[in-house]
Amino acid sequence: MTIQHTHTEKGGSFYVGEPSSPTAQLVYRMAGQHKIIIDHTEVDEIHKGEGIGRQLVLAAVDYARQQEAKIQPLCSFARSILKHSKEYEDIYIAPNQA
């Protein structure tokens, strides 16, 4: 499984499969240069439970660290991963924080 990444000035996605119909994807938008807002993470029914969603979130974490950015996860799945581990304290912004 290869995680691919598309990015524009306004946002992007990490995904598995074809860009037009990914089997799994994490969609984010940029709020300035140093804040990534994760809006949505989705894995198709066939691949649920295989850890692909978590791998997408970790790819976003790696990207955020490379960009010296913080992540504010509005997506409940991404938030559950980032919020409950001290490993991600350096990049996590709670959804109710500016």
Side-chain angles (χ1 to χ4, degrees):
M1 173 194 65
T2 301
I3 295 177
Q4 300 177 76
H5 181 212
T6 61
H7 178 78
T8 68
E9 211 174 280
K10 295 182 180 186
S13 68
F14 292 90
Y15 64 95
V16 175
E18 295 300 317
S20 59
S21 67
T23 57
Q25 74 175 343
L26 176 149
V27 178
Y28 67 90
R29 59 192 151 101
M30 299 301 297
Q33 291 184 324
H34 300 288
K35 184 175 176 184
I36 297 169
I37 299 172
I38 297 177
D39 289 313
H40 182 70
T41 305
E42 183 176 2
V43 178
D44 69 9
E45 289 297 322
I46 296 170
H47 297 288
K48 284 195 178 190
E50 295 178 8
I52 297 171
R54 181 178 188 80
Q55 290 178 36
L56 292 172
V57 172
L58 298 182
V61 166
D62 289 342
Y63 179 72
R65 286 180 174 150
Q66 290 169 9
Q67 301 301 310
E68 298 180 0
K70 304 284 186 182
I71 295 177
Q72 186 173 46
L74 299 183
C75 165
S76 59
F77 176 78
R79 185 171 52 247
S80 70
I81 292 171
L82 300 176
K83 179 180 178 180
H84 299 294
S85 177
K86 291 193 180 290
E87 183 179 352
Y88 309 117
E89 284 179 344
D90 63 317
I91 54 104
Y92 176 72
I93 301 173
N96 57 354
Q97 293 179 335

